[in-house]
Amino acid sequence: MSEIDDDHDREPRPNGAAEDAEPRVRVEDRRHWARADREPDDDDASSSPPSTQPTIVDEYRRRAEEAEARLQEYIGAFKQAREEHDQARLRLERDVERKVELRFGSLVADLVSVVDELDLALAHAGDDGTAASLAEGVALTRDRFVATLARHGVERIELDGEPFDPNVAEAHRLDPVADPGLDGKVTATDRPGYRLGDRVIRPARVAVGKLVR
Protein backbone atom coordinates (compact mmCIF):
# COMPACT_ATOMS: atom_id res chain seq x y z
CA MET A 1 0.00 0.00 0.00
CA SER A 2 1.21 3.41 -0.82
CA GLU A 3 2.04 6.14 1.70
CA ILE A 4 -0.97 8.10 0.52
CA ASP A 5 -3.30 5.32 1.42
CA ASP A 6 -1.73 4.99 4.81
CA ASP A 7 -2.43 8.62 5.49
CA HIS A 8 -6.03 8.32 4.55
CA ASP A 9 -6.57 5.11 6.54
CA ARG A 10 -5.50 6.89 9.76
CA GLU A 11 -8.37 8.04 11.84
CA PRO A 12 -8.32 11.65 12.88
CA ARG A 13 -7.51 12.44 16.52
CA PRO A 14 -10.16 14.00 18.65
CA ASN A 15 -9.99 17.74 19.20
CA GLY A 16 -7.76 18.67 22.13
CA ALA A 17 -6.10 15.29 22.26
CA ALA A 18 -2.42 15.50 22.89
CA GLU A 19 -0.24 14.48 20.10
CA ASP A 20 2.36 11.83 20.55
CA ALA A 21 4.83 13.07 23.16
CA GLU A 22 8.04 14.21 21.67
CA PRO A 23 11.22 15.04 23.62
CA ARG A 24 11.39 18.78 24.43
CA VAL A 25 14.74 20.48 23.77
CA ARG A 26 15.94 22.90 26.44
CA VAL A 27 18.02 25.71 25.05
CA GLU A 28 20.55 27.28 27.39
CA ASP A 29 22.23 30.47 26.33
CA ARG A 30 25.85 30.06 27.20
CA ARG A 31 26.88 33.56 26.19
CA HIS A 32 28.38 35.01 29.32
CA TRP A 33 26.83 38.42 28.86
CA ALA A 34 23.36 36.91 28.66
CA ARG A 35 23.57 35.14 32.02
CA ALA A 36 22.53 37.49 34.81
CA ASP A 37 22.80 35.05 37.66
CA ARG A 38 26.15 33.54 36.81
CA GLU A 39 29.30 33.74 38.92
CA PRO A 40 32.00 36.15 37.70
CA ASP A 41 34.98 34.47 36.15
CA ASP A 42 38.57 35.60 35.56
CA ASP A 43 37.77 37.16 32.21
CA ASP A 44 35.12 39.35 33.80
CA ALA A 45 37.58 40.52 36.47
CA SER A 46 39.97 41.74 33.82
CA SER A 47 37.25 43.62 31.97
CA SER A 48 35.58 45.13 35.03
CA PRO A 49 36.20 48.86 35.80
CA PRO A 50 39.10 49.60 38.17
CA SER A 51 38.33 49.98 41.82
CA THR A 52 38.04 53.54 43.13
CA GLN A 53 39.34 52.57 46.57
CA PRO A 54 42.93 53.82 47.26
CA THR A 55 45.57 51.15 47.18
CA ILE A 56 48.57 50.89 49.52
CA VAL A 57 50.77 52.29 46.74
CA ASP A 58 48.53 55.34 46.42
CA GLU A 59 48.67 55.84 50.18
CA TYR A 60 52.48 55.68 50.20
CA ARG A 61 52.62 58.10 47.27
CA ARG A 62 50.35 60.54 49.09
CA ARG A 63 52.47 60.34 52.22
CA ALA A 64 55.65 60.88 50.22
CA GLU A 65 54.18 63.95 48.52
CA GLU A 66 53.09 65.40 51.87
CA ALA A 67 56.54 64.74 53.36
CA GLU A 68 58.22 66.44 50.38
CA ALA A 69 55.89 69.44 50.72
CA ARG A 70 56.75 69.77 54.43
CA LEU A 71 60.44 69.45 53.61
CA GLN A 72 60.20 72.30 51.11
CA GLU A 73 58.43 74.41 53.74
CA TYR A 74 61.20 73.70 56.26
CA ILE A 75 63.87 74.55 53.69
CA GLY A 76 62.15 77.83 52.83
CA ALA A 77 61.77 78.73 56.51
CA PHE A 78 65.43 77.89 57.13
CA LYS A 79 66.61 80.04 54.23
CA GLN A 80 64.47 82.96 55.40
CA ALA A 81 65.74 82.62 58.98
CA ARG A 82 69.34 82.49 57.76
CA GLU A 83 68.82 85.57 55.59
CA GLU A 84 67.29 87.47 58.50
CA HIS A 85 70.18 86.36 60.71
CA ASP A 86 72.74 87.55 58.15
CA GLN A 87 70.99 90.90 57.82
CA ALA A 88 70.86 91.33 61.59
CA ARG A 89 74.55 90.43 61.82
CA LEU A 90 75.44 92.96 59.14
CA ARG A 91 73.41 95.66 60.89
CA LEU A 92 75.13 94.84 64.16
CA GLU A 93 78.55 94.96 62.53
CA ARG A 94 77.76 98.32 60.92
CA ASP A 95 76.51 99.67 64.24
CA VAL A 96 79.66 98.48 66.00
CA GLU A 97 81.87 99.94 63.29
CA ARG A 98 79.97 103.21 63.47
CA LYS A 99 80.34 103.40 67.25
CA VAL A 100 84.05 102.57 67.05
CA GLU A 101 84.49 105.21 64.37
CA LEU A 102 82.71 107.81 66.50
CA ARG A 103 84.78 106.97 69.56
CA PHE A 104 87.97 106.99 67.53
CA GLY A 105 86.93 110.27 65.92
CA SER A 106 86.41 111.82 69.35
CA LEU A 107 89.84 110.60 70.41
CA VAL A 108 91.45 111.99 67.27
CA ALA A 109 89.71 115.33 67.81
CA ASP A 110 91.41 115.54 71.19
CA LEU A 111 94.78 114.46 69.81
CA VAL A 112 94.88 116.95 66.94
CA SER A 113 94.76 119.74 69.46
CA VAL A 114 98.18 118.49 70.54
CA VAL A 115 99.37 118.93 66.95
CA ASP A 116 98.02 122.49 67.05
CA GLU A 117 100.12 123.18 70.12
CA LEU A 118 103.22 121.72 68.48
CA ASP A 119 102.61 123.88 65.40
CA LEU A 120 102.27 126.93 67.63
CA ALA A 121 105.49 126.04 69.45
CA LEU A 122 107.32 125.73 66.14
CA ALA A 123 105.98 129.11 65.02
CA HIS A 124 107.35 130.78 68.16
CA ALA A 125 110.63 128.88 68.01
CA GLY A 126 111.27 130.21 64.52
CA ASP A 127 111.44 133.74 65.91
CA ASP A 128 114.14 132.81 68.41
CA GLY A 129 117.42 131.77 66.82
CA THR A 130 118.74 130.34 70.09
CA ALA A 131 116.00 127.67 70.18
CA ALA A 132 116.90 126.09 66.83
CA SER A 133 117.84 122.73 68.35
CA LEU A 134 114.67 122.66 70.42
CA ALA A 135 112.58 123.57 67.40
CA GLU A 136 114.16 120.71 65.47
CA GLY A 137 113.13 118.23 68.16
CA VAL A 138 109.58 119.63 68.30
CA ALA A 139 109.29 119.41 64.52
CA LEU A 140 110.42 115.78 64.58
CA THR A 141 107.86 114.93 67.25
CA ARG A 142 105.12 116.75 65.38
CA ASP A 143 105.92 114.96 62.10
CA ARG A 144 105.87 111.56 63.79
CA PHE A 145 102.57 112.37 65.44
CA VAL A 146 100.96 113.37 62.14
CA ALA A 147 102.39 110.26 60.43
CA THR A 148 100.92 108.04 63.14
CA LEU A 149 97.52 109.62 62.63
CA ALA A 150 97.83 109.10 58.87
CA ARG A 151 98.58 105.39 59.33
CA HIS A 152 95.26 105.08 61.14
CA GLY A 153 93.33 106.78 58.35
CA VAL A 154 93.36 110.35 59.69
CA GLU A 155 93.97 112.82 56.87
CA ARG A 156 95.12 116.39 57.40
CA ILE A 157 93.04 118.97 55.49
CA GLU A 158 95.07 121.85 54.05
CA LEU A 159 93.27 123.92 51.44
CA ASP A 160 95.59 126.78 50.48
CA GLY A 161 94.83 127.82 46.89
CA GLU A 162 91.78 125.52 46.66
CA PRO A 163 88.20 126.74 46.13
CA PHE A 164 86.41 127.22 49.41
CA ASP A 165 84.31 124.18 50.36
CA PRO A 166 81.97 124.73 53.31
CA ASN A 167 81.73 120.96 53.80
CA VAL A 168 85.33 120.70 54.97
CA ALA A 169 86.26 124.24 56.03
CA GLU A 170 85.08 127.24 57.98
CA ALA A 171 85.72 130.74 56.65
CA HIS A 172 86.48 133.00 59.59
CA ARG A 173 87.69 135.98 57.55
CA LEU A 174 87.77 137.45 54.04
CA ASP A 175 90.99 138.63 52.41
CA PRO A 176 90.63 141.33 49.73
CA VAL A 177 92.30 140.21 46.47
CA ALA A 178 92.86 142.00 43.18
CA ASP A 179 93.40 138.85 41.17
CA PRO A 180 90.09 137.42 39.87
CA GLY A 181 91.67 133.97 40.00
CA LEU A 182 91.84 134.16 43.80
CA ASP A 183 88.24 135.18 44.28
CA GLY A 184 86.44 132.55 46.37
CA LYS A 185 89.59 130.56 47.02
CA VAL A 186 91.39 129.80 50.27
CA THR A 187 94.14 132.34 50.78
CA ALA A 188 95.42 130.96 54.11
CA THR A 189 94.80 128.03 56.46
CA ASP A 190 94.85 129.30 60.01
CA ARG A 191 94.07 125.90 61.49
CA PRO A 192 94.26 122.67 59.50
CA GLY A 193 91.33 120.34 59.51
CA TYR A 194 91.23 116.54 59.83
CA ARG A 195 89.00 113.81 58.47
CA LEU A 196 88.69 110.10 59.03
CA GLY A 197 87.61 108.43 55.82
CA ASP A 198 84.59 110.36 54.58
CA ARG A 199 83.86 111.90 57.95
CA VAL A 200 85.26 115.35 58.80
CA ILE A 201 86.51 115.18 62.37
CA ARG A 202 87.39 118.84 62.47
CA PRO A 203 86.84 121.38 59.68
CA ALA A 204 89.74 123.58 58.64
CA ARG A 205 89.69 127.21 59.62
CA VAL A 206 90.61 129.33 56.60
CA ALA A 207 90.65 132.77 55.06
CA VAL A 208 88.85 133.22 51.74
CA GLY A 209 89.77 135.74 49.04
CA LYS A 210 87.24 138.34 47.91
CA LEU A 211 87.75 140.27 44.70
CA VAL A 212 88.04 144.05 45.15
CA ARG A 213 87.16 146.19 42.08
Side-chain angles (χ1 to χ4, degrees), residues 19-198:
E19 295 182 359
D20 295 340
E22 295 180 0
R24 298 182 63 182
V25 178
R26 181 181 179 183
V27 178
E28 182 180 356
D29 193 347
R30 294 184 177 278
R31 294 173 298 177
H32 62 82
W33 60 82
R35 290 178 292 169
D37 56 347
R38 62 184 177 82
E39 295 294 330
D41 53 17
D42 294 340
D43 294 337
D44 294 338
S46 62
S47 62
S48 61
S51 175
T52 58
Q53 297 296 326
T55 63
I56 188 65
V57 176
D58 295 333
E59 180 66 17
Y60 286 156
R61 183 182 295 112
R62 183 185 64 80
R63 293 181 181 181
E65 291 175 352
E66 291 179 354
E68 183 178 0
R70 287 196 299 268
L71 177 61
Q72 294 299 327
E73 291 178 0
Y74 294 154
I75 292 176
F78 172 75
K79 290 182 178 180
Q80 182 178 359
R82 184 173 62 180
E83 182 178 356
E84 291 176 355
H85 172 74
D86 292 341
Q87 292 177 355
R89 178 176 55 81
L90 291 175
R91 287 195 301 268
L92 180 60
E93 290 178 356
R94 287 194 296 266
D95 291 342
V96 171
E97 291 176 356
R98 181 64 177 172
K99 290 180 180 179
V100 171
E101 182 179 345
L102 290 174
R103 293 294 299 273
F104 184 67
S106 299
L107 176 62
V108 171
D110 293 337
L111 292 178
V112 295
S113 61
V114 177
V115 180
D116 295 337
E117 294 176 359
L118 293 176
D119 288 337
L120 183 60
L122 287 175
H124 289 293
D127 299 335
D128 189 355
T130 60
S133 59
L134 179 61
E136 184 178 353
V138 171
L140 181 61
T141 301
R142 178 255 186 201
D143 293 341
R144 288 180 177 177
F145 199 94
V146 173
T148 300
L149 293 175
R151 283 197 304 269
H152 288 84
V154 180
E155 181 183 358
R156 188 178 174 100
I157 302 175
E158 295 181 352
L159 303 173
D160 289 0
E162 298 292 331
F164 173 71
D165 184 358
N167 295 315
V168 296
E170 296 175 352
H172 70 103
R173 78 169 188 270
L174 295 176
D175 287 344
V177 294
D179 185 357
L182 297 178
D183 186 33
K185 292 186 177 180
V186 176
T187 56
T189 300
D190 296 334
R191 189 191 68 180
Y194 293 88
R195 58 185 163 200
L196 178 62
D198 296 333

